[in-house]
Amino acid sequence: MTDSPQRIGVVAESSTGETRVAATPSHVRHLRRLGYEVVVESGAGEAAGFADDAYTEQGARVGEAWAADIVLKINPPTPDEIGRLRDGAILAALIAPGQSPDLLRRLAERPITVLAMDAVPRISRAQSMDVLSSMANIAGYRAVIEAAHVFGRFFTGQVTAAGKVPPAKVLVAGAGVAGLAAIGTAGSLGAEVRATDPRPEVADQVRSLGGEFLAVEVAQESGADGYARATSEEYDRLAAEMYHRQAAEVDIVITTALIPGRPAPRLIRAEDVAVMRPGSVIVDMAAAQGGNVEGTVPGKTVITGNGVTIIGYTDLPARLPAQASQLFGTNLVNLLKLLTPQRDGRALIDFDDPVQRSVTVVRDGEQTWPPPPVQVSAAPPAPAAPAAPAAPPARRRLPAAVRFALAGAAMAALFLVIAFSPPRLAENFTVFVLSVVIGYYVIGKVHPALHTPLMSVTNAISGIVVIGALLQIGRGSTAVTVLSFVAILLTSVNIFGGFAVTRRMLGMFSKG
């Protein structure tokens, strides 16, 4: 084996209607920093708006990309494309290994290694390589845009001289990545958004985006791979009743429900579509896997007899080709960073790494799918038993005789001060001592978090100084009048500011 850097090939997509490319010109720069040479098939990025010259400006070469050591692609390869791969090559693409046993068998007949970008495990350290999430985010956004294009009026409510327009009501079935993107987009357009999902833990995410979560009161949980499990019969029955009620109320339905390795669950039945108002729109994002809606035609738009439009597009991410290519390419670059720890332009696959093991479905002509399970959601560890609190250190106390002697000396000193002081000083001193005692107990009995508002009130109450200033302001002396005016001004600021701060601080501790 030579130590020369490997070549990465970015090939053109052969699938009809595909506009994306596996790497953009900006990704070429990152790949070259990893030590790789990059060759791009002529015209590979044209549909996404990236000309060949843009790749060459970043250091890539335009040529035969299928002969490269590492081939980057979006869609699964055709039989002819598999034959174009060189022996020992690495192919990274969407493979759908759980639904494509025949494709896996054909790939394993060649001495190649195949990385399935749609098999990235849903763990924290693999999020930067998660192509499914990247494309689902774009698809959820685009689904709302497609619905808005077909829908006959505003999403947001408006009041005009010609009349009042109510906001559109949108129901999103499934609050995964695509669903959350759809909720956020529809909400930003001013629609009233509702969403449902069998996983109760996503309710807070829906609400954080301004949506209303419609719960089906049946226990459901996420699978260990981060996706929703298949729902129970009881859940399906109650959910069907809820979908029927909502179909009669909402204007737009967007369905996103998918379970890896299984056909898409049927959520919206023909009788649900029948009760929707004319002009309503349904976007079935699961059309490629059979659809969540009865009557969906993959890749087509259907208008029902009651005037409901059902959109079954299977290329939603490809309808934003530049953005989708950018995100897809970034996921690939992050994977190659993982495979190239030395930044020497040579990819090394480590099966001890759960991410690399999961995405590798064929290794040197041997099928390695399915991988061992990767634990995604684990039960939280049992809390450790609280340690016994340490005994506080014993406080040293003075002997009783010493304490009594000190108290007596203090009382005698106080008596002498009062006895030999002018009457007015004695009164003021008594008020001062009482203020210290009262202040100590007031502060000592208040929670530390409330000290700031308490001090603000105390400052406001001390504004009684303004009364003395008002009594002095008309004494005739210019100096006294000026000083009294300044005292009134500053004390007024103290009074109003103190109560304003107190109200604001106490508001931080109030609920609702």
Side-chain angles (χ1 to χ4, degrees):
M1 177 183 295
T2 64
D3 294 331
S4 59
Q6 294 177 318
R7 282 183 302 156
I8 290 180
V10 181
V11 300
E13 298 297 322
S14 58
S15 301
T16 303
E18 182 59 76
T19 57
R20 296 170 293 175
V21 62
T24 69
S26 64
H27 296 125
V28 172
R29 183 170 62 254
H30 295 289
L31 296 174
R32 285 174 55 81
R33 287 176 183 171
L34 294 176
Y36 294 104
E37 297 177 2
V38 182
V39 57
V40 180
E41 187 174 0
S42 179
E46 285 186 358
F50 305 113
D52 292 345
D53 291 344
Y55 287 97
T56 57
E57 289 174 1
Q58 298 298 329
R61 180 171 58 86
V62 176
E64 178 50 57
W66 285 100
D69 303 290
I70 303 173
V71 174
L72 305 184
K73 196 178 187 305
I74 290 183
N75 295 298
T78 64
D80 290 340
E81 290 172 338
I82 295 175
R84 297 177 65 182
L85 292 166
R86 63 182 293 272
D87 291 349
I90 298 175
L91 170 67
L94 296 173
I95 302 297
Q99 295 87 34
S100 310
D102 293 338
L103 175 60
L104 280 183
R105 178 182 52 78
R106 287 195 298 269
L107 290 168
E109 292 173 353
R110 291 292 315 282
I112 59 175
T113 297
V114 181
L115 308 178
M117 294 304 298
D118 42 3
V120 174
R122 288 201 162 176
I123 58 178
S124 297
R125 58 182 291 258
Q127 287 180 353
S128 63
M129 313 165 213
D130 191 352
V131 166
L132 291 182
S133 293
S134 298
M135 296 301 102
N137 182 36
I138 294 176
Y141 169 85
R142 186 67 190 193
V144 176
I145 301 303
E146 295 293 341
H149 176 68
V150 175
F151 190 52
R153 56 182 176 84
F154 296 131
F155 264 46
T156 185
Q158 292 191 4
V159 177
T160 69
K164 181 180 179 181
V165 179
K169 296 179 181 179
V170 178
L171 173 65
V172 179
V177 176
L180 292 174
I183 293 168
T185 304
S188 67
L189 291 175
E192 177 186 311
V193 186
R194 310 166 185 179
T196 185
D197 194 282
R199 298 163 294 182
E201 63 267 23
V202 305
D204 289 339
Q205 300 178 48
V206 172
R207 296 188 185 104
S208 70
L209 292 171
E212 175 189 357
F213 186 74
L214 305 177
V216 178
E217 301 299 335
V218 176
Q220 287 288 134
E221 59 180 359
S222 299
D225 56 358
Y227 294 90
R229 296 177 184 266
T231 53
S232 64
E233 292 184 3
E234 178 66 10
Y235 179 93
D236 292 341
R237 182 182 66 80
L238 295 177
E241 296 175 358
M242 183 268 292
Y243 284 128
H244 190 76
R245 292 193 303 271
Q246 291 297 318
E249 298 179 11
V250 301
D251 303 297
I252 295 169
V253 177
I254 298 175
T255 63
T256 71
L258 283 174
I259 301 173
R262 301 185 59 176
R266 185 57 51 84
L267 305 180
I268 307 298
R269 302 161 299 175
E271 50 265 40
D272 303 327
V273 177
V275 299
M276 296 184 71
R277 292 188 291 268
S280 300
V281 182
I282 300 174
V283 182
D284 190 347
M285 296 180 61
Q289 276 95 333
N292 298 138
V293 181
E294 187 173 353
T296 295
V297 178
K300 303 291 184 180
T301 296
V302 175
I303 301 178
T304 65
N306 61 325
V308 177
T309 301
I310 303 176
I311 299 174
Y313 296 152
T314 58
D315 60 346
L316 290 172
R319 290 172 180 259
L320 290 171
Q323 185 72 70
S325 300
Q326 185 65 39
L327 295 182
F328 194 101
T330 299
N331 295 139
L332 282 171
V333 168
N334 290 329
L335 176 62
L336 287 167
K337 287 179 180 178
L338 181 65
L339 300 182
T340 321
Q342 303 300 323
R343 304 297 193 267
D344 57 356
R346 301 204 64 82
L348 300 174
I349 297 178
D350 180 10
F351 262 31
D352 291 331
D353 183 338
V355 177
Q356 299 182 46
R357 176 64 185 88
S358 296
V359 300
T360 306
V361 295
V362 175
R363 188 180 191 184
D364 297 328
E366 178 184 356
Q367 183 173 327
T368 58
W369 175 269
V374 177
Q375 187 65 29
V376 175
S377 55
R395 299 178 60 183
R396 296 182 60 184
R397 303 192 62 182
L398 295 173
V402 176
R403 286 187 280 115
F404 284 128
L406 291 176
M411 293 175 65
L414 179 62
F415 173 78
L416 292 174
V417 169
I418 295 175
F420 294 99
S421 300
R424 180 60 59 88
L425 179 61
E427 293 176 6
N428 292 341
F429 189 78
T430 301
V431 172
F432 173 74
V433 172
L434 292 176
S435 299
V436 171
V437 173
I438 293 172
Y440 172 79
Y441 280 102
V442 168
I443 297 298
K445 299 299 182 181
V446 173
H447 191 278
L450 295 176
H451 280 174
T452 297
L454 178 65
M455 290 300 97
S456 301
V457 170
T458 305
N459 289 338
I461 294 174
S462 70
I464 196 172
V465 174
V466 76
I467 297 177
L470 289 172
L471 293 175
Q472 298 295 327
I473 198 170
R475 291 294 182 178
S477 171
T478 303
V480 172
T481 301
V482 171
L483 291 176
S484 299
F485 174 77
V486 172
I488 293 171
L489 178 64
L490 296 179
T491 308
S492 299
V493 173
N494 197 41
I495 293 172
F496 293 110
F499 281 115
V501 171
T502 300
R503 182 174 182 180
R504 186 169 183 177
M505 290 293 296
L506 292 178
M508 297 172 59
F509 298 93
S510 63
K511 294 183 179 180

